[in-house]
Amino acid sequence: MRFTGIISRDLRLALRQRSDAAMIVLFFVLTAALFPFGVGPEANQLAAIAPGVIWVTALLSVLLSLERLFLADYEDGSLELMALSPVPLELTLLAKVLAHWLTTGLPLIVAAPLIAVLFNMPLEALPTLATAMLLGTPTLSLIGAVGAALTLGARRGGILIPLLVLPLYIPTLIFGVSAVDAALGGFPVRPHLLLLMAILLISLVVSPLAGAAALRQANE
Amino acid sequence: MILDRFANPARFLRLANAILPWCVGATTIMLAAGLYLGLFVAPPDYQQGDSVRIMYVHVPAAWMAMFVYTNIAIASAVSLIWRHPLADLAANASAPIGAAFTFLALVTGSLWGKPMWGTWWVWDARLTSVLILFFLYLGHMAITSAFDNPARGAKAAAVLALVGFVNVPIIKFSVDWWNTLHQPASVFRMGGPSIHPDMLWPLLAMGLGYTLFYVVLLLLRIKSELIGARLRALDSLRQDAA
Amino acid sequence: MGSYGGYVWPSYGLSAVIMAGLVIVTLRRLRAREQELAQRQGEYPARRSDRVKTAVSEDSNGSGGASDS
């Protein structure tokens, strides 16, 4: 299976289950909408926590979708075929991650302005929010893929993934929020975005290696 | 290669049994010396008073939290690269010890923070990093025991430990960055290298004592795991015979 | 300890409790497994149990004991 083949196959599968992506976006918006009930409807306070709320709920939404990333392929044996194919497993994993991001990260970026508006976040920061999420959400998919691969065949795999993955999400969360905060405060956003990009590049190297090793273990 | 010398579990056990009594003795002596020096000889700090004595259990615990995680990462690398049979055992036996030290570092830090900062918890960069390290330990322990096949659990934990190890400096850096953005830089800092010798000696004694304590527990736990492996082998023998 | 005793002693006490707990848990499991192994060795023919025994005791020519874990 070629790289593009895997992406298009996964995308076709995802499109067939459009409701899944829609559910994740719905979860994203719904969870964010809970916060005003927790902290009160005061507009300034909501605007102050908006970047954090958007990022934290985005992390949780990505988590929701991770368990199924490899599960179907693992259970029907496609994973073993992928491991046997001449395409390196690392590349296959990247294709799966890209498909995952296109069906999870991208919809979240599209939905994020809605939450920003609900939370009275000044709209000048929207381009920064979108850029930060564009750089940050692929990292979430990449790290998440390692967690998903490691827990294949585990008892209680679904509960295990957040425990493994959330601590590793913290740097992305920190720089994602600080980029938007900087934009809101009128500070330069470039360093924050560059750091997000650096984390993305590191994940782009580490996660295919670790993820492919985990997938091979699952196949043994 | 030096690793091959310990590859044979029987040889490892012989070595472990030989050095265990010495390690136990040295641990007892170092901890007793550290406690005596820390509680009775070391002077109270001129600013922090006697609360500075918490340092002698807090700082070694924090050292061990990092040291044990590094060891787990090294053992995991050895396990994945050379498939050394003892490396998995060493990593898995280390994790609960490291988690316990990390927990101690957090709680004693909190007990030190209350009289110094006035609150039990501050989102100080160091405390936060150690908290995240504690979560990494918990994840490692959870995945080790999550599989019906212990070998799979050990291998998955090894991959996780290496990914976590790559992330530790990134987490540290990002938490420092986040902390300077959000916190006035007035939080209390430890004396640094200019610490008084009367305080340094108990600290070093306790640090050495904690390290030896870890070695003793590690040897005992690996021994126990080796016997566990033999018991599982006996189980499969019995199943084959039946 | 002055007014700080309420913080210093719990720190030392908890450290002692946790570290002692680690030792107790570790020793208990080791003892339990050693006993179980000693019991089990009676169940098998001599040659086989010898091989099992050598891997765990101090004999030098034991077979690889942890290869399956």
Side-chain angles (χ1 to χ4, degrees):
Chain A
M1 235 186 285
R2 285 172 305 120
F3 187 72
T4 48
I6 294 165
I7 300 177
S8 64
R9 168 179 167 275
D10 269 38
L11 278 180
R12 258 181 288 124
L13 283 173
L15 282 177
R16 212 174 298 157
Q17 300 170 324
R18 248 171 313 211
S19 57
D20 277 11
M23 289 289 196
I24 286 164
V25 170
L26 192 61
F27 173 85
F28 179 52
V29 177
L30 198 61
T31 315
L34 291 179
F35 280 84
F37 298 108
V39 299
E42 211 258 308
N44 284 337
Q45 196 174 12
L46 288 181
I49 62 166
V53 169
I54 292 171
W55 270 102
V56 170
T57 41
L59 294 192
L60 297 178
S61 313
V62 171
L63 270 186
L64 264 192
S65 60
L66 283 177
E67 194 187 358
R68 287 196 316 281
L69 186 47
F70 301 111
L71 202 57
D73 289 333
Y74 175 68
E75 282 171 348
D76 70 9
S78 324
L79 206 59
E80 284 173 52
L81 289 181
M82 290 177 190
L84 290 174
S85 85
V87 180
L89 197 52
E90 285 80 3
L91 213 57
T92 310
L93 184 118
L94 273 181
K96 301 276 300 178
V97 169
L98 186 58
H100 175 261
W101 179 76
L102 287 172
T103 52
T104 315
L106 205 55
L108 289 182
I109 299 175
V110 175
L114 176 64
I115 300 177
V117 170
L118 286 176
F119 276 70
N120 293 309
M121 198 178 95
L123 297 183
E124 305 91 80
L126 275 186
T128 310
L129 176 67
T131 320
M133 288 185 81
L134 213 52
L135 290 169
T137 46
T139 311
L140 303 183
S141 294
L142 281 166
I143 298 176
V146 180
L150 281 173
T151 50
L152 284 175
R155 283 174 261 126
R156 307 179 308 264
I159 323 172
L160 201 54
I161 294 177
L163 193 59
L164 307 184
V165 163
L166 276 180
L168 305 177
Y169 277 178
I170 290 172
T172 308
L173 172 64
I174 287 176
F175 295 122
V177 174
S178 69
V180 185
D181 276 345
L184 287 172
F187 298 108
V189 293
R190 225 172 101 87
H192 307 264
L193 296 177
L194 287 176
L195 283 165
L196 277 176
M197 196 189 288
I199 297 175
L200 174 59
L201 291 177
I202 295 171
S203 314
L204 214 48
V205 177
V206 174
S207 132
L209 291 174
L215 289 180
R216 285 193 196 97
Q217 291 172 3
N219 277 335
E220 268 172 17
Chain B
M1 203 177 68
I2 189 150
L3 282 169
D4 288 334
R5 220 184 297 163
F6 305 105
N8 184 329
R11 198 172 291 163
F12 166 82
L13 281 168
R14 202 151 34 94
L15 188 77
N17 286 333
I19 63 171
L20 255 173
W22 295 96
C23 286
V24 172
T27 308
T28 320
I29 293 171
M30 289 319 290
L31 286 180
L35 280 175
Y36 174 72
L37 289 173
L39 286 174
F40 302 108
V41 177
D45 187 77
Y46 75 101
Q47 271 181 327
Q48 303 179 35
D50 278 315
S51 76
V52 76
R53 296 191 199 282
I54 296 176
M55 175 172 77
Y56 307 125
V57 284
H58 169 73
V59 172
W63 282 344
M64 294 311 291
M66 286 306 302
F67 176 65
V68 175
Y69 200 79
T70 311
N71 278 353
I72 292 176
I74 294 170
S76 300
V78 170
S79 151
L80 289 175
I81 298 167
W82 290 293
R83 305 193 171 262
H84 191 287
L86 285 172
D88 280 336
L89 298 185
N92 297 341
S94 291
I97 312 175
F101 279 128
T102 314
F103 176 74
L104 277 179
L106 286 170
V107 177
T108 55
S110 177
L111 281 164
W112 198 2
K114 179 67 181 162
M116 289 302 105
W117 298 322
T119 54
W120 294 109
W121 183 263
V122 211
W123 288 92
D124 164 72
R126 281 193 201 184
L127 283 177
T128 311
S129 308
V130 175
L131 181 66
I132 299 170
L133 183 63
F134 185 56
F135 293 146
L136 291 179
Y137 271 116
L138 293 185
H140 186 273
M141 285 160 66
I143 200 169
T144 305
S145 58
F147 295 90
D148 293 324
N149 172 11
R152 171 80 209 284
K155 293 292 173 212
V159 172
L160 182 72
L162 286 178
V163 173
F165 194 64
V166 172
N167 264 279
V168 164
I170 303 173
I171 290 172
K172 184 82 181 71
F173 172 75
S174 58
V175 169
D176 281 342
W177 169 287
W178 162 80
N179 195 251
T180 45
L181 280 183
H182 289 270
Q183 195 134 10
S186 63
V187 283
F188 144 86
R189 291 255 169 265
M190 228 188 54
S194 62
I195 183 169
H196 192 272
D198 283 348
M199 292 181 173
L200 189 61
W201 283 117
L203 193 57
L204 289 179
M206 289 299 268
L208 197 57
Y210 272 46
T211 313
L212 285 162
F213 177 81
Y214 163 63
V215 172
V216 169
L217 275 185
L218 186 61
L219 291 175
L220 289 173
R221 293 180 85 96
I222 293 179
K223 209 170 142 180
S224 168
E225 288 303 309
L226 282 174
I227 299 175
R230 290 318 299 170
L231 287 171
R232 277 197 298 279
L234 281 177
D235 277 341
S236 59
L237 274 180
R238 175 188 280 169
Q239 272 161 15
D240 288 348
Chain C
M1 280 304 138
S3 57
Y4 294 123
Y7 303 105
V8 175
W9 294 120
S11 304
Y12 279 77
L14 188 78
S15 302
V17 167
I18 298 257
M19 286 163 82
L22 273 176
V23 173
I24 291 168
V25 169
T26 303
L27 283 180
R28 260 205 198 148
R29 193 195 297 166
L30 181 63
R31 295 277 172 273
R33 284 185 176 172
E34 276 174 347
Q35 270 172 16
E36 195 184 340
L37 188 70
Q39 268 175 10
R40 291 272 201 92
Q41 275 169 351
E43 298 170 15
Y44 286 89
R47 198 172 50 82
R48 197 168 266 177
S49 65
D50 271 350
R51 202 193 62 182
V52 169
K53 202 173 168 184
T54 48
V56 182
S57 70
E58 287 107 277
D59 247 353
S60 60
N61 56 350
S63 57
S67 51
D68 57 339
S69 70

